[in-house]
């Protein structure tokens, strides 16, 4: 970062000579025009220096895309199942780490049977025999 700033400041006089020869407006006429020009030069220099790193990161993400897609297909159904079980994260207290290393997450609200697939189903009424004594299963 310091190197970039030093290069920008060293190149500023050369850039100013190459720039158009129209006189810059005075600070009284156009506010902070000299500050604006300095900031523009600074940001142009930073973008020029950051561009190779951004290109490299983009290429790395492109290479990782197939692996990330496969991971999403494998983990996606499991995460959906987890969210169905958890119901709402506000129903849980903060995790507590026990002395033996176990992590305990207490539920502070009773689970709703509608959203918790692991809850016990309500018992069905006993089947009633039909007119001939048969019971439909």
């Amino acid at each position: 970062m310091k190197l970039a700033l030093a290069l920008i400041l060293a190149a500023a006089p050369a850039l100013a000579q190459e720039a158009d020869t129209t006189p810059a407006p005075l600070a009284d006429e156009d506010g902070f025009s000299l500050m604006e020009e300095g900031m523009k030069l600074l940001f142009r220099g930073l973008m020029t220096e950051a561009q190779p790193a951004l290109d490299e990161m983009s290429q790395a993400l492109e290479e990782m895309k197939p692996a990330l897609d496969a991971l999403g297909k494998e983990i996606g159904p499991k995460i959906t199942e987890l969210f169905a079980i958890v119901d709402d994260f506000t129903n849980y207290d903060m995790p507590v780490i026990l002395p033996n290393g176990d992590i305990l997450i207490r539920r502070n609200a009773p689970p709703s049977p509608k959203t918790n697939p692991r809850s016990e189903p309500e018992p069905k009424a006993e089947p009633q025999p039909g007119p001939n004594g048969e019971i439909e299963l």
Side-chain angles (χ1 to χ4, degrees):
M1 185 68 153
K2 292 180 182 180
L3 177 63
L5 185 58
L7 288 174
I8 292 170
L9 292 176
L15 289 174
Q17 290 174 357
E18 293 175 7
D20 62 329
T21 57
T22 57
L26 297 174
D28 293 340
E29 295 175 342
D30 198 24
F32 295 101
S33 63
L34 292 177
M35 294 272 286
E36 289 174 19
E37 288 300 315
M39 292 305 291
K40 285 179 186 176
L41 288 173
L42 175 70
F43 285 122
R44 276 191 210 124
L46 289 175
M47 285 303 296
T48 302
E49 187 160 314
Q51 192 61 44
L54 292 173
D55 292 341
E56 202 172 294
M57 184 175 70
S58 175
Q59 182 182 1
L61 288 174
E62 248 342 280
E63 292 172 1
M64 289 174 45
K65 189 172 192 264
L68 291 175
D69 287 342
L71 181 68
K73 288 177 184 172
E74 184 178 328
I75 292 180
K78 301 288 184 189
I79 290 177
T80 303
E81 182 182 338
L82 174 68
F83 282 130
I85 292 169
V86 168
D87 181 27
D88 185 5
F89 286 101
T90 60
N91 292 335
Y92 295 88
D93 292 331
M94 291 296 296
V96 176
I97 300 176
L98 300 179
N100 65 357
D102 288 350
I103 299 173
L104 181 64
I105 304 174
R106 291 186 180 95
R107 185 174 179 93
N108 58 22
S112 63
K114 176 179 77 174
T115 58
N116 191 345
R118 293 189 180 184
S119 63
E120 294 294 322
E122 292 183 26
K124 295 183 178 180
E126 290 290 323
Q128 300 297 322
N132 295 334
E134 73 276 0
I135 296 178
E136 191 171 322
L137 297 176

